[in-house]
């Protein structure tokens, strides 16, 4: 249970309802995605609220597919939605519910409203309806078809349902008030004629209910008590209530409450916009690691727990605001620091040759095996054996022939620590004809086995390394922000104008320690000094950088004096 002392406004509301016995102490919520795309980080917030509140108050949260638009919906999305919710740690109750389950009931209720003189068939075209609706501060105009008799409306509506009229030729509208200051109440559309194959109901229907006509009624049919949604539905609430007031309901009347959408800097959270990225070939798929979809974040290596903890942390508010991507990343880093095993991998390899490395009786360079800790944060993760020989790969930017100021890594004459192995001193370089460094030569201190000299002398730098003879080739993908602007689209209104052309850098020919070949698909490891990397779920030895090691959120806080 959340801190009863300081609950957010929705939890406070549920507490009050329970105290007052509003819904007989029942708490039932629902998560109602439209199956027209994959879930994204914004949906995670809604899931954590909808499922989280039901869980905390001993209630139920239904998963209801809001499938009233046959043009865009597909069964493929339904399966992914369920598995993404489960990945986040919530279990939607069986069976999954669908707005389309209620098409029959909704139809009957529409006839009921017609009979009460509260709905009418309008033959006007879409432009006329839209023009007659008026605007804010501007009265609407009543349709020429508004005063048809209930009998005529019923006849026409039944014939709409029977398929006698072409698509788009007529609609059913609620008869409310063409001068209402809330535009939603100016005779909203309840049904459209649309001959499209629905992924569940097939060709059974050629008229489809609108979101507003389906939503509150679906809530009522299921016995939802608290219908939680995002702020853009605030104006729809009056219509939600109006429909429910007209109907003989099987349960308490549900109540809609709105909360702020989750928006994140450098990110878009709208399925429509995410689909554009896909269609324009900006990303490779819904699970491209740059996508803010749950699939993308998961492939990128974001732990589910980091996402849900982030959502809990930002809480439930009533005003829209944009969260920093760095804050989300700090949750990812904190979780991975606890769970990810440490490994060594060299992304831009440079050969380091120890000229004084011993040769064994067999004439081959000696191989030393070092026992390295898998995770200093978790002793249970144990150790692994890592081979070390006289030829190693180091990160090319860990060496400078002429070190700039404050460069403490390897340079000629300088001694550094090869992590967990030996102290080494660079002696010189090999160059190709163009003058590029092709190898660095060095000597090692055999007394410093394990990485510390017996005389306790200090070195300023510890570097990662991989034995050249044992290295495994890997591909490492580095990611930067998909949108360079903090608020994509702020300048021009079009987020795609703010795409970062360098959001992905593929490094092939990386040299990684042999243990990485055994890393399970999908697992995240820490490459020492470089960041956290997720092993691709399908392609072995492909690693996606989840997040770097530096806590940029802490820096932002410091800059803001927090
Ligand atoms: P999109 O604009 O991405 O298509 P949507 O609101 O149309 O989003 P739905 O599938 O209809 O997507 O949404 C299912 C639920 O998730 C709704 O209750 C909606 O309010 C909520 N939701 C969607 N986006 C966000 C977001 N960015 N933050 C919080 N909740 C969201
Ligand atoms: Mg929507």
């Amino acid at each position: 249970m959340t801190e009863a002392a300081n609950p957010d406004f929705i939890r406070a509301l549920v507490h009050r309802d329970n105290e007052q016995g509003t819904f007989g102490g029942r708490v039932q919520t629902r998560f109602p995605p439209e199956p027209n795309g994959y879930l994204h980080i914004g949906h995670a917030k809604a899931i954590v609220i909808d499922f989280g509140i039901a869980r905390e108050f001993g209630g139920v949260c239904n998963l209801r597919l809001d499938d009233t638009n046959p043009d865009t919906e597909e069964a493929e999305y339904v399966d992914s939605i369920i598995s993404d919710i489960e990945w986040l740690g919530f279990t939607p109750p069986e069976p999954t519910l669908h707005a389309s389950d209620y098409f029959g009931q909704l139809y009957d209720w529409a006839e009921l409203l017609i009979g009460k003189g509260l709905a009418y068939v309008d033959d006007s075209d879409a432009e006329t309806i839209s023009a007659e609706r008026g605007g804010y501060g501007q009265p609407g105009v009543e349709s020429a078809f508004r005063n048809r008799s209930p009998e005529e409306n019923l006849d026409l509506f039944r014939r709409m349902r029977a398929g006698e009229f072409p698509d788009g030729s007529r609609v059913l509208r609620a008869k409310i008030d063409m001068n209402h200051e809330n535009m939603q109440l100016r005779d909203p559309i309840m049904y459209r004629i649309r001959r499209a194959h629905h992924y569940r109901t097939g060709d059974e229907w050629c008229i489809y209910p609108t979101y507003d006509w389906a939503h509150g009624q679906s809530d009522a049919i299921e016995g939802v008590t608290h219908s939680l949604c995002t702020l853009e539905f605030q104006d729809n609430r009056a219509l939600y209530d109006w429909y429910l007031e007209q109907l003989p309901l099987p349960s308490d009347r549900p109540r809609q409450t709105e909360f702020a959408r989750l928006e994140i800097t450098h990110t878009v959270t709208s399925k429509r916009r995410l689909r554009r990225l896909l269609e324009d070939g900006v990303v490779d798929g819904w699970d491209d690691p740059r996508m803010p979809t749950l699939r993308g974040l998961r492939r990128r290596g974001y732990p589910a727990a980091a996402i849900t903890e982030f959502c809990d942390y930002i809480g439930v508010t009533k005003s829209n605001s944009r969260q920093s991507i760095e804050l989300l990343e700090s949750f990812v880093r904190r979780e991975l620091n606890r769970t990810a095993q440490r490994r060594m991998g060299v992304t831009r390899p440079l050969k380091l040759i120890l000229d004084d490395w011993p040769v064994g009786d067999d004439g081959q360079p000696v191989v030393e095996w070092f026992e390295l800790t898998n995770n200093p944060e978790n002793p249970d993760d144990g150790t692994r054996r890592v081979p070390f020989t006289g030829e190693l790969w180091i990160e090319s930017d860990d060496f400078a022939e002429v070190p700039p100021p404050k460069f403490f890594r390897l340079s000629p004459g300088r001694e550094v620590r090869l992590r967990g192995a030996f102290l080494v001193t660079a002696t010189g370089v090999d160059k190709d004809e163009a003058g590029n460094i092709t190898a660095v030569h060095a000597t090692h201190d055999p007394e410093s086995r394990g990485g510390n000299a017996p005389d306790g002398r200090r070195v300023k730098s510890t570097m990662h390394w991989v034995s050249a003879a044992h290295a495994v080739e890997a591909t490492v993908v580095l990611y930067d922000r998909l949108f360079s602007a903090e608020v994509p689209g702020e300048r021009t209104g079009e987020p795609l104008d703010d795409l970062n052309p360098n959001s992905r850098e593929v490094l092939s020919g990386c040299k990684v320690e042999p243990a990485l070949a055994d890393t399970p698909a999908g697992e995240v490891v820490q490459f020492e000094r470089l960041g956290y990397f997720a092993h691709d779920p399908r392609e072995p030895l492909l690693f996606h950088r989840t997040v770097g090691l530096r806590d940029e959120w802490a820096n932002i806080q410091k800059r803001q004096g927090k």
Side-chain angles (χ1 to χ4, degrees), residues 67-97:
D67 54 358
T68 53
N69 181 356
D71 293 330
T72 55
E73 293 157 7
E74 287 172 37
E76 174 202 346
Y77 298 127
V78 175
D79 299 336
S80 78
I81 286 169
I82 294 172
S83 75
D84 285 350
I85 295 171
E86 288 175 343
W87 176 67
L88 280 181
F90 299 98
T91 314
E94 300 266 7
T96 299
L97 304 173

Side-chain angles (χ1 to χ4, degrees), residues 32-34 36 43 66 211 232-233 261 271:
E34 196 182 343
N36 60 353
H43 291 112
D66 174 23
Y211 167 87
E232 68 269 27
F233 294 104
R261 282 177 84 84
K271 278 179 283 190

Side-chain angles (χ1 to χ4, degrees), residues 31-34 40 42-43 46 230 232 259 261-262 269-271:
F31 174 62
E34 196 182 343
H40 52 62
H43 291 112
T230 35
E232 68 269 27
F259 58 87
R261 282 177 84 84
L262 171 60
T269 45
S270 133
K271 278 179 283 190

